[in-house]
Amino acid sequence: MASRDTHFSSKFKAFRQKNLRILQKQAEPLFRSTLAGGIGNIFAALLALIVLKSSEQDAPVEYLVSLIIITSLARILLSQKYLQHKRHLIQYLRGHALLTFIVGCFWAGIAYCQIYTDNETLRTLVFLLNFGLIAASIATLSTWMPAYLLFMLPQSLAIIYVFSVVQNEYNIQMIVGYFLFAVVMVLTSYRFNRNYKNEIELTLFNEQLINDLNSEISIREKVQLELEQSKQGLEKKIEERTKDLVDMNLHLSSVIDKKERAERDLQYIAYHDELTGLPNKNLLLDRIEQSIKNTSRTNCKLAILFLDLDRFKTINDSLGHTIGDKLLKEVATRLLSTLRKQDTVSRNGGDEFVIVLEQVRDSDEAVKVARKIIDSLTTAFDIMSHRIHIGASIGISIYPNDGDTALILLRNADTAMYRAKKTGGNQFQFYDESMSNQLRDRLELEGELHNALLNNEFYMVYQPQISSSTGVTLGFESLIRWNNRKYGEISPARFVPLLEETGLIYAVGDWIVSEVARFARNYMDRQITFAINLSALQCNEMAFVEHVKNEIAKTGIRASQLEFEITESLLINDFETTREFLTQLHALGCSIALDDFGTGYTAMNYLTRLPIDTIKVDKSLVRGINTNNDLKSIVQAIVKMSASLGMTNVFEGVETVEELGEIRRLDGEIIQGFLFSKPMAAGEVDTWLNQEHSRHVPTLFSVRPN
């Protein structure tokens, strides 16, 4: 189906291009002949003025003649301008047609004035001028038929009207005669136009035929050349292969040596890192298992040091992979020079290294080695004129205390390394069981979450949404926070996923609606909207709509004071259920916002099938928009789309004045971000609104877009 649509689209595009070329060919002689036609009209107008100078039509004729001259000159100037630039054909054709029609109407006016004269001779002379202009314009206007019709039809209608009104015994005959004349002129013009158009089409067809023939000749020549080259290449390969076979027969022992060398190289590559030459993970696991066996026969221990370079990604991204690779090689060299010969240094991948310390008497030896490594790596690296400073986070596991297999020791050392990096980096950390007890901590947090609602530990904060044109606060996004009496403030990124996993999101979601509705009641005299984020689970629960309806009735607020935000992922999970849910919410009078727009895979037809009132542009499309032309183009398209669909647009994450200026230039409507305010407590909202005209916001809004 897609292929057929593409084929149809290609054919339609080719058809439009062909018609445009024909129109260009028709328009050029039309514009070129405008100079002669315009001069003819001017001379004819002056002749009409001379003939009718002393008649009772003197005043109106002088006015009409002046207008004919002015319009003819305008038409000449327009045509010359097109011939000079040859751009915007359609606009110039429309302008030419309009001016031609106006000239025709002015000539029709002169013909119409003959109603008021009794002088048959003057009337006949004027009509002869009209007839002559109508006939002569076939040569100048018929290359584009609409131009000719716009010129002759007003005159024809005026002449027929005059014939029908003027008292004359030959009225009918004159009307019929002129009608036949007009028909002959139109047919002649049509035939002229048709012949000219056929000539253009024939010319274009011949040009296309010649191009196709040239293309086919080029293809044939190319194929012939490729065949010749293939033949020569095949002959050369046969010759080379024959020579190789002879050489192999003569130097069989040499070939066997090469094969053995290649096998050794493959064996080396299979167990060593290609960049640094250090053992890779395959060889590392084997070395650790061998070391475990050796250590088991003595009273010594085995230490695994899992090392990750600090800030390496920043260096790699900013200075390039070439410098990053050279830095990894230098790190490998320093590690080898720092350690004993019997110790193993391995590259685990990326910027991770593993050191295996054998025959370690106690953990103090591992500490000394870890400190030596950190000191060695904190010394600056000079690479390609760049002085680079890095650090290292090291996790240490000890055999047999922290594991009895290679994989367990590596995993525990890796866990310890992440703890070292999380606490600031450039330090070492021994593994302990508490690191593996993070799951237990998560379960404890989940237990606290079950009692959080009962203990009134949740509270709401509100982040302002501001008009980009006036700086007036139009709404707030309502955000949940958790102040646990045991753990203190807990990030929404930690507890919101737990709410969904445990099913507590339904009860907490109802609480949020009740809390926001109660708070919104304080601002019923203002046109302020309070936005509430919805979980995917809530959108499958139709009872939620009933709860919203009851809270609106209970608090007495306007339904329009509440807005519900959904994410793009909801649209593809269960579209029909989501549509029914949103339709019911919207029917209450609440507005619907599509949050994080631009980060998902929303099909555009979903937007037209859902009751969405607002599009919230994700902060990833706002960050650096003032310097990124691609982001500007994407955001401009979103703004135009939202305007055409009658939707409001909100820009999230605005943090700089430059971003604000660019968003205003792109006609962004509402802005939200740290540039204006972080989320504020409920008690601070009144202060924010009351100080709206005295804080720094007007200064920001005095910035005009470029």
Side-chain angles (χ1 to χ4, degrees):
M1 184 68 181
S3 175
R4 187 168 62 187
D5 290 345
T6 303
H7 177 67
F8 176 77
S9 176
S10 300
K11 289 184 69 176
F12 181 70
K13 186 176 180 181
F15 176 75
R16 286 189 61 187
Q17 289 176 343
K18 178 183 175 184
N19 283 344
L20 183 60
R21 290 189 64 191
I22 291 173
L23 188 60
Q24 288 172 337
K25 295 284 186 180
Q26 287 179 287
E28 187 156 341
L30 174 70
F31 286 119
R32 289 191 184 281
S33 61
T34 299
L35 177 60
I39 293 173
N41 271 282
I42 292 170
F43 278 115
L46 293 173
L47 181 59
L49 180 64
I50 293 169
V51 170
L52 301 173
K53 184 68 176 174
S54 301
S55 68
E56 59 272 19
Q57 310 165 45
D58 186 16
V61 168
E62 283 184 1
Y63 179 70
L64 290 169
V65 166
S66 300
L67 292 174
I68 288 171
I69 292 172
I70 292 169
T71 310
S72 296
L73 290 172
R75 196 162 61 123
I76 291 170
L77 289 173
L78 182 139
S79 299
Q80 294 302 312
K81 188 173 181 181
Y82 171 77
L83 292 172
Q84 183 179 0
H85 300 289
K86 292 190 177 179
R87 289 182 300 182
H88 309 301
L89 172 63
I90 301 301
Q91 290 87 333
Y92 277 100
L93 271 179
R94 288 174 180 169
H96 189 281
L98 177 62
L99 292 173
T100 302
F101 177 70
I102 292 171
V103 172
C105 289
F106 289 155
W107 276 113
I110 293 176
Y112 176 78
C113 288
Q114 303 317 305
I115 294 175
Y116 305 106
T117 182
D118 296 325
N119 191 327
E120 289 289 339
T121 303
L122 286 178
R123 185 183 300 140
T124 302
L125 284 172
V126 171
F127 285 167
L128 285 174
L129 275 174
N130 287 114
F131 295 167
L133 289 169
I134 290 170
S137 61
I138 290 176
T140 59
L141 299 176
S142 290
T143 56
W144 191 51
M145 196 68 188
Y148 181 73
L149 293 175
L150 289 171
F151 181 73
M152 67 87 64
L153 283 177
Q155 298 181 66
S156 298
L157 293 173
I159 292 170
I160 290 172
Y161 179 73
V162 172
F163 281 154
S164 65
V165 172
V166 174
Q167 299 298 323
N168 193 305
E169 58 182 319
Y170 301 109
N171 278 12
I172 300 300
Q173 292 88 331
M174 287 189 292
I175 290 172
V176 171
Y178 181 76
F179 179 76
L180 292 174
F181 167 79
V183 169
V184 169
M185 292 298 102
V186 171
L187 290 175
T188 303
S189 176
Y190 175 77
R191 187 172 180 182
F192 182 93
N193 177 268
R194 187 69 260 168
N195 290 339
Y196 187 74
K197 200 169 181 180
N198 288 339
E199 182 182 336
I200 293 171
E201 290 177 345
L202 181 60
T203 301
L204 293 177
F205 176 77
N206 288 338
E207 289 177 357
Q208 184 63 42
L209 186 60
I210 291 169
N211 289 337
D212 291 344
L213 287 172
N214 288 335
S215 177
E216 186 173 351
I217 291 170
S218 297
I219 292 171
R220 287 177 180 272
E221 290 176 349
K222 185 178 180 181
V223 170
Q224 185 68 29
L225 181 61
E226 289 176 352
L227 288 173
E228 188 67 29
Q229 289 174 345
S230 297
K231 180 182 176 183
Q232 293 175 359
L234 186 59
E235 291 174 350
K236 185 177 180 180
K237 285 182 180 179
I238 292 172
E239 183 180 343
E240 290 174 352
R241 185 60 179 163
T242 303
K243 184 180 178 181
D244 288 342
L245 290 171
V246 172
D247 290 342
M248 284 196 328
N249 288 329
L250 295 174
H251 307 285
L252 184 58
S253 59
S254 175
V255 172
I256 293 172
D257 289 341
K258 289 180 181 178
K259 181 182 177 182
E260 291 176 349
R261 220 168 25 245
E263 288 176 351
R264 287 196 299 271
D265 290 343
L266 288 173
Q267 184 77 5
Y268 182 85
I269 292 171
Y271 290 99
H272 291 82
D273 176 56
E274 185 178 359
L275 178 65
T276 61
L278 296 176
N280 61 15
K281 192 169 184 178
N282 294 327
L283 183 55
L284 172 67
L285 291 171
D286 182 69
R287 292 270 183 94
I288 295 175
E289 293 294 349
Q290 291 298 324
S291 297
I292 288 174
K293 291 178 182 178
N294 296 335
T295 304
S296 300
R297 293 192 290 266
T298 66
N299 292 324
C300 294
K301 297 181 179 181
L302 172 71
I304 306 296
L305 279 65
F306 201 108
L307 182 152
D308 184 270
L309 301 180
D310 297 331
R311 298 183 299 279
F312 177 77
K313 185 178 185 303
T314 302
I315 294 166
N316 207 33
D317 291 342
S318 59
L319 300 180
H321 293 287
T322 301
I323 291 179
D325 289 346
K326 289 183 178 296
L327 177 60
L328 291 173
K329 290 180 181 180
E330 289 288 335
V331 168
T333 302
R334 288 195 186 182
L335 289 175
L336 290 171
S337 63
T338 303
L339 301 171
R340 302 171 300 181
K341 289 185 179 181
Q342 65 265 33
D343 298 328
T344 297
V345 181
S346 167
R347 184 182 176 212
N348 200 46
D351 58 347
E352 295 178 344
F353 295 84
V354 176
I355 296 100
V356 181
L357 302 179
E358 296 189 48
Q359 303 299 316
V360 176
R361 288 186 297 274
D362 52 41
S363 59
D364 288 343
E365 286 192 32
V367 170
K368 292 177 182 177
V369 173
R371 284 175 175 164
K372 283 177 65 179
I373 291 172
I374 291 174
D375 290 342
S376 172
L377 296 181
T378 51
T379 304
F381 291 81
D382 292 313
I383 300 175
M384 296 176 65
S385 302
H386 293 281
R387 193 166 181 80
I388 299 172
H389 294 271
I390 61 171
S393 298
I394 301 175
I396 306 172
S397 63
I398 305 293
Y399 171 84
N401 304 19
D402 301 326
D404 55 3
T405 67
L407 288 175
I408 293 175
L409 289 168
L410 278 174
R411 184 190 65 198
N412 292 341
D414 187 18
T415 302
M417 181 274 292
Y418 276 108
R419 175 66 64 86
K421 186 172 283 289
K422 190 175 181 180
T423 54
N426 207 33
Q427 57 184 287
F428 62 87
Q429 183 81 39
F430 279 94
Y431 171 79
D432 62 62
E433 289 185 4
S434 65
M435 297 177 186
S436 295
N437 293 333
Q438 292 180 359
L439 179 60
R440 187 184 305 119
D441 294 339
R442 184 180 181 280
L443 291 174
E444 289 181 6
L445 187 65
E446 185 179 320
E448 291 293 322
L449 195 60
H450 277 278
N451 298 318
L453 197 58
L454 186 64
N455 295 334
N456 293 320
E457 294 178 355
F458 292 123
Y459 65 98
M460 301 300 295
V461 294
Y462 302 89
Q463 186 171 31
Q465 296 175 336
I466 299 170
S467 168
S468 69
S469 58
T470 65
V472 173
T473 302
L474 301 178
F476 293 86
E477 183 174 5
S478 311
L479 303 166
I480 189 171
R481 296 291 185 264
W482 182 19
N483 186 8
N484 180 253
R485 54 188 178 182
K486 182 177 181 180
Y487 296 108
E489 287 288 341
I490 299 174
S491 167
R494 289 184 64 193
F495 72 82
V496 170
L498 279 177
L499 287 174
E500 294 180 330
E501 291 174 19
T502 58
L504 292 172
I505 190 67
Y506 299 109
V508 174
D510 288 348
W511 176 84
I512 291 173
V513 171
S514 302
E515 186 70 10
V516 173
R518 182 189 61 77
F519 185 68
R521 184 171 54 188
N522 300 325
Y523 303 98
M524 292 180 62
D525 58 334
R526 293 175 178 264
Q527 295 300 318
I528 293 177
T529 302
F530 291 87
I532 299 172
N533 291 285
L534 291 181
S535 162
L537 297 176
Q538 290 174 282
C539 292
N540 294 322
E541 189 68 28
M542 296 302 171
F544 179 81
V545 179
E546 192 64 26
H547 176 72
V548 173
K549 181 179 178 181
N550 293 337
E551 286 301 316
I552 291 172
K554 179 180 175 182
T555 58
I557 64 171
R558 301 185 306 278
S560 59
Q561 286 181 260
L562 297 183
E563 182 178 79
F564 292 94
E565 296 185 7
I566 63 170
T567 58
E568 293 187 68
S569 60
L570 290 178
L571 305 184
I572 56 176
N573 290 339
D574 189 351
F575 177 76
E576 292 303 326
T577 302
T578 302
R579 180 171 65 174
E580 178 61 22
F581 175 86
L582 295 179
T583 300
Q584 290 189 26
L585 265 184
H586 201 261
L588 297 179
C590 304
S591 55
I592 308 296
L594 183 58
D595 199 10
D596 300 334
F597 188 81
T599 61
Y601 304 92
T602 304
M604 291 301 107
N605 66 320
Y606 284 173
L607 296 180
T608 60
R609 296 165 60 192
L610 293 171
I612 294 174
D613 306 289
T614 302
I615 288 176
K616 297 194 72 175
V617 181
D618 188 75
K619 60 185 178 182
S620 63
L621 299 179
V622 173
R623 191 70 62 250
I625 189 175
N626 53 299
T627 59
N628 190 320
N629 290 328
D630 291 336
L631 285 182
K632 292 178 187 177
S633 300
I634 293 170
V635 169
Q636 190 171 35
I638 292 174
V639 170
K640 289 182 178 179
M641 179 200 68
S642 64
S644 66
L645 294 175
M647 299 176 184
T648 304
N649 57 72
V650 178
F651 285 81
E652 300 179 293
V654 180
E655 295 184 0
T656 68
V657 174
E658 291 76 12
E659 291 170 355
L660 169 64
E662 190 59 36
I663 290 169
R664 295 191 66 220
R665 190 185 71 78
L666 295 173
D667 296 329
E669 297 177 70
I670 301 175
I671 333 165
Q672 176 182 344
F674 286 1
L675 178 62
F676 305 104
S677 172
K678 294 181 178 180
M680 61 184 69
E684 299 172 335
V685 172
D686 275 339
T687 304
W688 170 270
L689 293 173
N690 292 334
Q691 296 178 354
E692 191 157 43
H693 299 291
S694 61
R695 59 178 176 265
H696 67 284
V697 174
T699 304
L700 293 176
F701 277 84
S702 66
V703 177
R704 289 290 181 267
N706 294 331

